[in-house]
Amino acid sequence: MKIVFMGTPEFAVPSLEALIDEFGVEAVFTQPDRPKGRGKKLAMSEVKEVAVKHNIKVFQPENLKKSRENIEELKSMNPDFIIVVAYGQILSKEILDIPKYGCINLHASLLPKYRGAAPINWVIVNGEKVTGNTTMFMDEGLDTGDMLLKSEVQVTDSMTAGELHDILMKQGGELLLNTIKGIVDGTIKRTKQEDEKSCYASMLSKETGRIDWNKDSKQINNLIRGLNPFPVAFTNYNGEVMKIYEAEVLNENTNSKPGSIINVSKKGIKVATASGVLLIKKIQFPSKKPMYVEDYIKGNTIDKGDIFTS
């Protein structure tokens, strides 16, 4: 079995490792090394680190579609499969047609829902109760190819995007192995996506995290959970940006103006919303570390009656 793997971030690592253990991997394509950290030193992607560790040949084209050299190299490998997990580049039809069995993508949603760049985050922001992974044959569209296998995950009311990411990341490898075996032995039925049931999970920006206190407490809490650990939901307090990492919806009502601080205690900051009360538990101010409210108020003040602004 000749497999070429294309992926970049941590999410792709368990899938790559599963493929190495089960079949071996001929080559890895990943994004070019990028500056990271305060020192802006060039750093390898998480996928490249695994490939180097296993002495697998690594290719890092800036734009694979436009790199004749890399495309010809791919053709010369004559792969059975190209497996793609969060690679970060669009593949041309010429590349999609190279492998014997096709290009297989692992996508972190139950397609056709949440096609696009940030499915894990938007599933939580939108209050979904179930999500999962989907494997599919790739075509020229964005996550539009025929579906192969799915695995489901229940989304709890307290789960963050980071926690859901880790669950889906660990499950992805097994789903890919089962997909490859099922394609080779002919036991998997490919299913066309129903485009009318699709929705798009757009890229996140800092602005995505701006809290609108005129929404209800559950919607705001979903935003906080869905943007933890990145890019993090935020509000403004006394002219400073306050990031919010953790909160809880309380079974309380109030007539206070949305955004008003109702009470501050070791348990957290009670805030009025358009409907219900939210208890903010973990926060971060500029140049400070994230802290639980209990620890923050030991040396700082957050006053009852003040108002958070969007």
Side-chain angles (χ1 to χ4, degrees):
M1 185 80 70
K2 280 189 177 181
I3 292 176
V4 172
F5 185 84
M6 297 182 180
T8 300
E10 180 191 19
F11 185 84
V13 167
S15 295
L16 173 57
E17 290 176 332
L19 292 169
I20 292 170
D21 291 344
E22 187 75 17
F23 303 115
V25 171
E26 190 86 358
V28 163
F29 282 71
T30 190
Q31 295 279 46
D33 296 354
R34 305 291 190 197
K36 284 187 180 179
R38 290 185 178 180
K40 298 297 180 183
K41 292 183 179 179
L42 283 179
M44 296 186 288
S45 71
E46 288 88 346
V47 160
K48 183 180 177 180
E49 289 178 4
V50 174
V52 169
K53 175 184 172 185
H54 289 274
N55 296 311
I56 298 169
K57 197 170 184 179
V58 176
F59 298 87
Q60 297 178 271
E62 192 72 48
N63 188 332
L64 178 55
K65 287 197 298 184
K66 295 181 179 180
S67 175
R68 285 309 324 165
E69 180 183 353
N70 282 282
I71 291 173
E72 293 305 321
E73 185 82 30
L74 260 176
K75 289 179 177 178
S76 71
M77 294 178 199
N78 195 27
D80 293 303
F81 287 95
I82 292 177
I83 305 296
V84 182
V85 184
Y87 177 36
Q89 294 194 35
I90 301 295
L91 305 187
S92 64
K93 187 177 187 304
E94 182 181 11
I95 297 168
L96 296 174
D97 288 342
I98 291 173
K100 175 182 176 181
Y101 291 103
C103 289
I104 308 300
N105 176 236
L106 173 73
H107 184 72
S109 81
L110 297 177
L111 291 171
K113 296 188 74 174
Y114 296 99
R115 296 170 177 170
I120 294 172
N121 305 90
W122 286 108
V123 157
I124 293 179
V125 171
N126 291 339
E128 301 282 3
K129 297 298 183 186
V130 181
T131 187
N133 284 314
T134 304
T135 52
M136 64 175 174
F137 279 115
M138 295 178 70
D139 60 17
E140 293 179 88
L142 182 62
D143 302 324
T144 55
D146 290 354
M147 300 178 294
L148 295 163
L149 294 180
K150 293 184 179 183
S151 61
E152 291 190 356
V153 172
Q154 299 298 314
V155 182
T156 67
D157 290 339
S158 62
M159 188 180 286
T160 65
E163 291 165 345
L164 179 56
H165 168 280
D166 291 352
I167 293 169
L168 294 173
M169 176 178 71
K170 291 170 185 174
Q171 290 186 358
E174 183 179 359
L175 195 67
L176 274 171
L177 295 183
N178 290 335
T179 299
I180 291 170
K181 292 171 184 175
I183 291 171
V184 173
D185 65 24
T187 57
I188 289 182
K189 178 185 175 183
R190 56 196 294 168
T191 306
K192 287 196 176 297
Q193 295 191 42
E194 298 179 67
D195 291 341
E196 64 274 12
K197 293 183 179 180
S198 70
C199 60
Y200 184 67
S202 59
M203 290 184 69
L204 303 173
S205 68
K206 179 182 177 183
E207 195 61 25
T208 309
R210 186 181 297 276
I211 293 174
D212 179 359
W213 295 103
N214 288 303
K215 292 186 175 181
D216 66 50
S217 55
K218 189 171 183 178
Q219 286 177 300
I220 295 171
N221 190 44
N222 287 346
L223 181 71
I224 292 167
R225 295 189 301 118
L227 301 188
N228 178 351
F230 180 83
V232 189
F234 69 93
T235 190
N236 289 294
Y237 179 67
N238 287 345
E240 283 193 302
V241 171
M242 185 177 87
K243 292 182 177 181
I244 303 175
Y245 285 84
E246 186 180 335
E248 178 188 343
V249 176
L250 299 181
N251 187 24
E252 296 181 18
N253 291 306
T254 179
N255 294 320
S256 299
K257 178 182 176 181
S260 300
I261 298 174
I262 300 168
N263 188 44
V264 181
S265 69
K266 290 181 179 180
K267 292 182 179 179
I269 306 164
K270 283 188 180 183
V271 188
T273 70
S275 177
V277 177
L278 193 70
L279 181 69
I280 297 171
K281 295 181 174 182
K282 191 174 184 179
I283 60 176
Q284 181 183 20
F285 282 98
S287 303
K288 305 290 184 183
K289 293 180 179 180
M291 300 177 71
Y292 283 98
V293 170
E294 177 181 2
D295 297 318
Y296 181 82
I297 61 176
K298 289 176 182 177
N300 303 274
T301 302
I302 294 177
D303 294 320
K304 175 182 175 180
D306 285 350
I307 297 177
F308 290 128
T309 56
S310 298

